[in-house]
Amino acid sequence: MEKTLISIHLLQGTAFVWSMEDVRKIRQLHRLVGSLVGSLPRKPRQNARLGLPLQLLPEEARLLVEIGAAVMLRAGQPERASRGQDEGCDSERGSQGVEDVPLSEVAAYKQALDESYEVQRRLALQEKRSLLESLSERIMQGRARHRQKRGEQTGDTTLLESQEGLEENFRFPRESMMVQLPTARLTPGPMEVVDWQHPSPEWPYTGQQAHETRYRVFRDLWEKGYFITSGSKFGGDFLLYPGDPMRFHAHYIALCAAPDEPLHLCDIVAAGRLGSNVKKTVLLCAAARDGAVTYTSLQWAGLQ
């Protein structure tokens, strides 16, 4: 059975995953977390809970590619038809901002919307009738009382007679209809594979010393079994979890540095005190060029 690679879409140096199935694989099979950055269709004006796409750290994206689980992609240039075909299509497309969409697809989409509206209107009408039937006794009693107050003769009007003009007078605004919001492109455009070993506008990290240091530390910690997320909210490079972050708190704040990079004493003291305040251990991670990583833990003891 052929292995399906995870599609990582690059945009100006940022890695995104748009498929929910790929997101599941990344977390369950590869112990990588990322961060959801998309708004939810039903609650777009809040950021407490987010949805697709999943944004990956550069180290996460590179790791997935190196272990053969993913491929990096970027949007390619669409192929243009011949000059004669372009002129023929341009005369039919109009100027409504849908130059790259055939008129047949636009017409099919509008027809689907019309059919969906008719179905939803019919269902809303049935619901209205059911509601009137459930309240029929109360409606008849109310009408009888009004007639008695006006001194009119009480008749035997049935609910069926009172609903004679319901279908003609029933209004269901188009603004009230439900519209499907797809979470994936049904017909994606042309994509090109990105070679992460060569720097490009989509992947500018190749050859950068800071990225190489962070990646060596990231991969070594990942191979040790940790779940790893960004540590920016605690002033570090990574946060290390003993299990899935949905179930565990982070135990370590990782700070990455090259072996020959000097560290100021004030920065070390600040990191140690910060780790103590948030009940985490600070790890100073020095990654050598040969891949070896040395760890030094800091814990603020204070004065006794």
Side-chain angles (χ1 to χ4, degrees):
M1 182 177 180
E2 185 178 356
K3 180 180 179 181
T4 303
L5 296 179
I6 296 170
S7 297
I8 301 177
H9 299 267
L10 300 180
L11 179 62
Q12 297 181 354
T14 305
F16 297 102
V17 177
W18 289 90
S19 170
M20 194 62 236
E21 181 63 23
D22 288 344
V23 172
R24 185 193 64 79
K25 291 180 182 178
I26 289 173
R27 195 177 190 107
Q28 294 183 358
L29 302 181
H30 305 294
R31 291 186 290 104
L32 298 176
V33 180
S35 57
L36 295 170
V37 296
S39 61
L40 298 178
R42 290 186 176 273
K43 294 183 178 180
R45 297 186 180 183
Q46 55 84 35
N47 58 3
R49 293 180 177 85
L50 299 176
L52 294 176
L54 180 76
Q55 181 177 339
L56 298 176
L57 296 172
E59 294 76 22
E60 291 175 320
R62 176 175 170 180
L63 176 63
L64 287 171
V65 175
E66 281 196 357
I67 64 177
V71 60
M72 294 183 183
L73 304 172
R74 66 181 175 188
Q77 296 296 329
E79 297 181 0
R80 291 294 180 182
S82 62
R83 181 64 180 172
Q85 292 177 345
D86 284 346
E87 293 177 354
C89 293
D90 290 341
S91 62
E92 299 177 356
R93 286 174 178 172
S95 57
Q96 300 299 322
V98 291
E99 297 179 0
D100 295 328
V101 181
L103 285 179
S104 58
E105 294 186 13
V106 176
Y109 176 74
K110 291 182 177 180
Q111 182 180 357
L113 285 181
D114 293 338
E115 294 175 355
S116 176
Y117 172 77
E118 292 299 330
V119 172
Q120 293 184 46
R121 183 184 184 279
R122 185 168 62 252
L123 293 176
L125 180 59
Q126 293 177 0
E127 184 177 358
K128 181 72 172 180
R129 284 176 174 166
S130 300
L131 179 61
L132 291 177
E133 291 175 359
S134 64
L135 301 175
S136 59
E137 185 175 350
R138 296 176 59 182
I139 293 174
M140 293 298 102
Q141 292 176 356
R143 289 179 178 179
R145 286 195 299 267
H146 284 297
R147 288 175 179 174
Q148 289 178 359
K149 290 181 181 180
R150 293 196 299 264
E152 299 177 1
Q153 184 178 1
T154 304
D156 297 331
T157 304
T158 62
L159 180 64
L160 181 60
E161 294 175 352
S162 65
Q163 294 186 10
E164 288 181 355
L166 178 61
E167 185 170 357
E168 291 76 11
N169 299 325
F170 180 74
R171 297 184 60 187
F172 182 71
R174 276 187 172 269
E175 294 79 8
S176 301
M177 68 178 291
M178 293 184 292
V179 180
Q180 181 182 4
L181 298 177
T183 57
R185 296 181 63 184
L186 299 180
T187 56
M191 306 300 294
E192 298 177 357
V193 177
V194 176
D195 186 1
W196 64 270
Q197 297 180 345
H198 298 86
S200 64
E202 290 76 20
W203 187 258
Y205 307 104
T206 303
Q208 295 181 5
Q209 181 60 37
H211 170 71
E212 294 299 329
T213 300
R214 284 167 52 95
Y215 178 73
R216 293 190 188 103
V217 173
F218 183 92
R219 177 149 189 170
D220 186 71
L221 292 171
W222 178 78
E223 290 176 347
K224 294 180 184 299
Y226 289 102
F227 280 74
I228 308 172
T229 65
S230 173
S232 57
K233 62 182 178 181
F234 289 111
D237 291 296
F238 305 115
L239 291 179
L240 310 183
Y241 297 79
D244 193 299
M246 294 292 292
R247 301 178 57 191
F248 297 90
H249 289 288
H251 286 189
Y252 301 98
I253 303 174
L255 298 175
C256 303
D260 54 351
E261 181 179 348
L263 297 176
H264 297 285
L265 180 59
C266 290
D267 295 337
I268 297 177
V269 173
R273 295 195 64 176
L274 174 62
S276 176
N277 289 337
V278 296
K279 296 181 173 58
K280 303 183 192 311
T281 301
V282 175
L283 284 182
L284 299 181
C285 312
R289 295 184 179 276
D290 60 356
V293 183
T294 303
Y295 300 99
T296 304
S297 62
L298 297 180
Q299 287 184 320
W300 183 258
L303 298 177
Q304 302 296 332

